[in-house]
Amino acid sequence: KNNKHKLNKMSLYQNHPLQVYNSLSGKKENFKSIHEGQIGMYVCGPTVYSNVHLGNVRTFMSFDMIYRYLLHLGYKVRYVRNITDAGHLTDDGDVDNDRFVKQSRLEKLEPMEIVQKYTVDFHRVLETFNFLPPTIEPTATGHIIEQIELTQKLIETGFAYESQGSVYFDVLEYNKRGLNYGELNNRNIEDLLANTRDLDGQSEKRNPQDFALWKNASPAHIMRWNSPWGAGFPGWHLECTAMSTKYLGETFDIHGGGLDLKFPHHECEIAQGTACNGHKPVNYWMHTNMLTMNGLRMSKSTGNYILPMELLDGKNDFFEKAFDPSVVRFCFMQAHYRGVLDISNEAMVASEKGYNRLMEAMDTISKIETSSTSTVDITSWKKACYDAMNDDFNTTILIAQLFEAVRIINVLNDKKETISAADLAELKATLDIFVFDVLGLTNKKAEGNNNKLGSVIEMLIEMRMEARANKNWALSDEIRDKLAVLDIQLKDGKEGTSFTL
């Protein structure tokens, strides 16, 4: 039975063809992985110089949902999400703008203390929101050698040049060879030239739009590594190319990130990968849209800003109460990942009510009586759930279908419709898949009940141990057998008795 279930799960992706919106083509495309049944997915992770902000959480939550659904379909997914812990110099100009250096001076800590502090915060926040960890989480500082090797290769192939201890990617040379820097963002080289800002360090470049692969470190720059061009640190864009190709290969299936990374970060990644290997590095580029609050962009400078944990503990000036992580997750999942998501007090309160309705239905389903026939159509409803997710992971439509299931559960509970045992099992199993496995929600009430049940079982185990100590074998066996009838198995071992539900 278990093997049969496994085989059925492995074939799910074959029966559920995906359509994915590809930012590179600007349209939905039929998804086909490079290797049958396997997917390589890279998502740009956080720059750990401060607390992870809510917009980042939204992006990573979207890809957590995508990862969960791909796993459900039976794909073997290698999910790589990096940690940027060095070299995040976005404008290739003054090295004093390095975020790690600035924050270390502000907090009077070593840069790697900053990295450790905010990496721990990042993991704590994501664990609180019930994220699955990626399969690999590489760091930029752990891949300096690979970045130096890539830089050397780009110099050797004529796509990069050294200047005053720094190395830059030659964008005009890239385009001269019939390649297209700007293709992801539909920008041509003339527009890029016209819109280039005058920055410090531009005199080192052949062309204003060239970007750094390696930056020369001034004597005052704390984070520095030796290289063939002198002491320095890697360019921000190069890190992701080095880590993604190392773990996923020269071409992989999916590259994800926030919309704010499309230019210049992802544009530079395409150019680096193409120049190094002679072909495009990624088949499907996916981008999440922005998060706003009360209709305005979230910004520290304007004060329209809240940290994830402040939303959960209620210690803020924007929301009337604290909200459970699953309520926040439910709120975020109601918007499609490519659409703008606006949060407000009203939206969160409404999401909490919707989440509670859904969880009440999940509890009610176990109380429904079955019949020999069904007057509700579970097959069509289940298909609609899959259709929503197969259409570019449309959680908005999926949640509408979940509330259709809530309606069905309520009419069944009121005995206005009937359902067979097989259909009820199918309804419950499908709800469990999409509510818990795919959307990643948790049922706090059910978890509380499980904790109470565990406490009761532990008490019965103690009673059984006491009965055995008194050689009351009849009572000991009776406790074990009655728990077994409830599918609660006791296992006696050297270190005591354990149980499985």
Side-chain angles (χ1 to χ4, degrees):
K1 182 179 177 183
N2 289 339
N3 288 337
K4 183 180 178 183
H5 175 73
K6 187 176 181 181
L7 287 172
N8 288 340
K9 186 174 182 181
M10 287 301 292
S11 65
L12 269 179
Y13 68 85
Q14 295 168 334
N15 299 325
H16 292 283
L18 279 169
Q19 279 216 316
V20 173
Y21 184 87
N22 191 348
S23 298
L24 192 59
S25 65
K27 61 184 180 182
K28 291 180 188 176
E29 298 178 6
N30 294 326
F31 178 81
K32 182 173 175 57
S33 61
I34 297 169
H35 302 289
E36 173 71 21
Q38 300 179 44
I39 292 175
M41 181 170 76
Y42 185 92
V43 174
C44 290
T47 303
V48 284
Y49 68 95
S50 64
N51 297 105
V52 61
H53 61 75
L54 210 52
N56 287 145
V57 170
R58 195 249 170 135
T59 290
F60 300 133
M61 190 179 290
S62 295
F63 285 103
D64 182 64
M65 171 271 296
I66 290 166
Y67 178 42
R68 286 168 172 273
Y69 187 60
L70 295 175
L71 290 175
H72 167 66
L73 290 182
Y75 284 106
K76 182 180 179 182
V77 185
R78 178 175 284 180
Y79 175 19
V80 183
R81 187 186 65 212
N82 74 296
I83 297 286
T84 294
D85 58 352
H88 194 149
L89 189 64
T90 56
D91 60 12
D92 291 343
D94 185 357
V95 292
D96 287 334
N97 287 331
D98 187 301
R99 295 177 176 184
F100 296 100
V101 175
K102 290 175 73 172
Q103 196 66 25
S104 67
R105 288 171 180 165
L106 186 67
E107 296 193 34
K108 294 182 172 57
L109 296 171
E110 285 291 323
M112 293 314 291
E113 286 183 282
I114 295 294
V115 166
Q116 178 68 11
K117 175 181 177 180
Y118 293 114
T119 299
V120 169
D121 171 72
F122 173 69
H123 288 144
R124 179 174 65 97
V125 170
L126 266 56
E127 186 178 344
T128 301
F129 284 103
N130 195 33
F131 281 55
L132 296 178
T135 45
I136 302 175
E137 193 173 49
T139 64
T141 55
H143 295 78
I144 298 295
I145 293 172
E146 289 85 350
Q147 292 171 76
I148 290 174
E149 288 173 348
L150 276 179
T151 302
Q152 287 175 310
K153 186 174 181 180
L154 288 168
I155 291 174
E156 289 166 6
T157 53
F159 285 103
Y161 57 91
E162 188 268 339
S163 177
Q164 299 178 40
S166 296
V167 181
Y168 294 96
F169 188 92
D170 193 329
V171 170
L172 289 185
E173 177 62 29
Y174 183 78
N175 278 40
K176 282 178 187 175
R177 299 196 196 185
L179 301 168
N180 181 17
Y181 181 80
E183 60 184 310
L184 181 63
N185 294 271
N186 294 315
R187 300 187 186 189
N188 59 47
I189 199 70
E190 289 77 17
D191 289 340
L192 292 170
L193 282 166
N195 293 317
T196 301
R197 291 180 296 143
D198 186 20
L199 298 168
D200 291 337
Q202 293 286 29
S203 60
E204 298 178 0
K205 301 180 183 182
R206 291 177 184 171
N207 314 294
Q209 69 281 2
D210 293 349
F211 57 89
L213 301 171
W214 186 266
K215 283 293 289 183
N216 178 45
S218 66
H221 200 275
I222 309 167
M223 300 184 83
R224 54 203 290 131
W225 292 265
N226 291 327
S227 80
W229 317 285
F233 55 95
W236 172 36
H237 315 305
L238 188 65
E239 298 170 357
C240 287
T241 295
M243 290 183 279
S244 62
T245 54
K246 176 169 182 174
Y247 297 109
L248 299 176
E250 292 180 0
T251 304
F252 54 95
D253 298 294
I254 297 171
H255 194 311
L259 200 60
D260 58 316
L261 297 180
K262 271 186 78 176
F263 190 87
H265 186 51
H266 290 162
E267 198 72 71
C268 295
E269 280 193 66
I270 291 175
Q272 290 165 166
T274 305
C276 269
N277 303 312
H279 49 77
K280 296 290 191 298
V282 179
N283 286 346
Y284 303 90
W285 285 89
M286 300 179 68
H287 292 94
T288 60
N289 214 321
M290 66 188 300
L291 174 75
T292 59
M293 186 164 67
N294 297 317
L296 301 171
R297 183 175 179 273
M298 289 187 69
S299 169
K300 283 185 179 178
S301 60
T302 62
N304 194 56
Y305 184 82
I306 185 173
L307 288 170
M309 301 310 281
E310 292 173 337
L311 183 57
L312 302 185
D313 62 23
K315 296 174 183 177
N316 62 82
D317 297 325
F318 301 99
F319 298 88
E320 65 184 57
K321 54 180 289 189
F323 292 96
D324 186 87
S326 268
V327 171
V328 177
R329 188 163 182 129
F330 181 71
C331 177
F332 283 19
M333 290 292 109
Q334 288 180 89
H336 189 270
Y337 77 89
R338 284 192 292 113
V340 174
L341 168 65
D342 185 64
I343 60 168
S344 62
N345 185 68
E346 293 74 18
M348 286 304 306
V349 170
S351 291
E352 185 176 56
K353 290 177 180 176
Y355 166 80
N356 288 337
R357 277 183 60 210
L358 184 58
M359 292 304 131
E360 285 167 10
M362 297 295 287
D363 294 336
T364 301
I365 199 169
S366 61
K367 304 171 187 175
I368 291 172
E369 296 177 5
T370 58
S371 174
S372 57
T373 58
S374 292
T375 58
V376 290
D377 185 358
I378 300 304
T379 302
S380 296
W381 168 79
K382 180 178 177 179
K383 181 179 181 300
C385 291
Y386 277 101
D387 286 348
M389 290 301 292
N390 295 336
D391 182 16
D392 195 31
F393 310 99
N394 198 325
T395 55
T396 307
I397 302 298
L398 172 65
I399 287 175
Q401 290 301 326
L402 295 182
F403 279 108
E404 172 60 16
V406 171
R407 185 195 67 79
I408 291 171
I409 290 167
N410 288 336
V411 297
L412 289 170
N413 193 48
D414 293 340
K415 297 184 172 56
K416 294 177 181 177
E417 300 274 5
T418 61
I419 191 169
S420 67
D423 279 352
L424 182 63
E426 188 79 351
L427 174 62
K428 185 180 186 308
T430 305
L431 276 170
D432 283 347
I433 286 167
F434 287 107
V435 173
F436 302 128
D437 296 348
V438 175
L439 293 183
L441 304 179
T442 56
N443 188 340
K444 294 301 178 185
K445 182 180 177 183
E447 286 181 357
N449 289 340
N450 282 339
N451 289 336
K452 290 178 182 177
L453 176 60
S455 298
V456 171
I457 295 169
E458 292 288 357
M459 181 179 69
L460 289 170
I461 288 173
E462 287 181 16
M463 290 174 62
R464 180 170 173 263
M465 289 174 64
E466 187 176 340
R468 294 177 74 180
N470 295 329
K471 297 185 179 181
N472 188 345
W473 310 118
L475 178 58
S476 170
D477 291 346
E478 184 182 3
I479 292 172
R480 181 198 63 205
D481 294 343
K482 286 189 174 180
L483 286 174
V485 170
L486 299 172
D487 288 331
I488 300 168
Q489 304 296 325
L490 298 185
K491 184 178 181 181
D492 295 318
K494 292 180 180 179
E495 298 180 1
T497 302
S498 59
F499 68 90
T500 56
L501 295 172

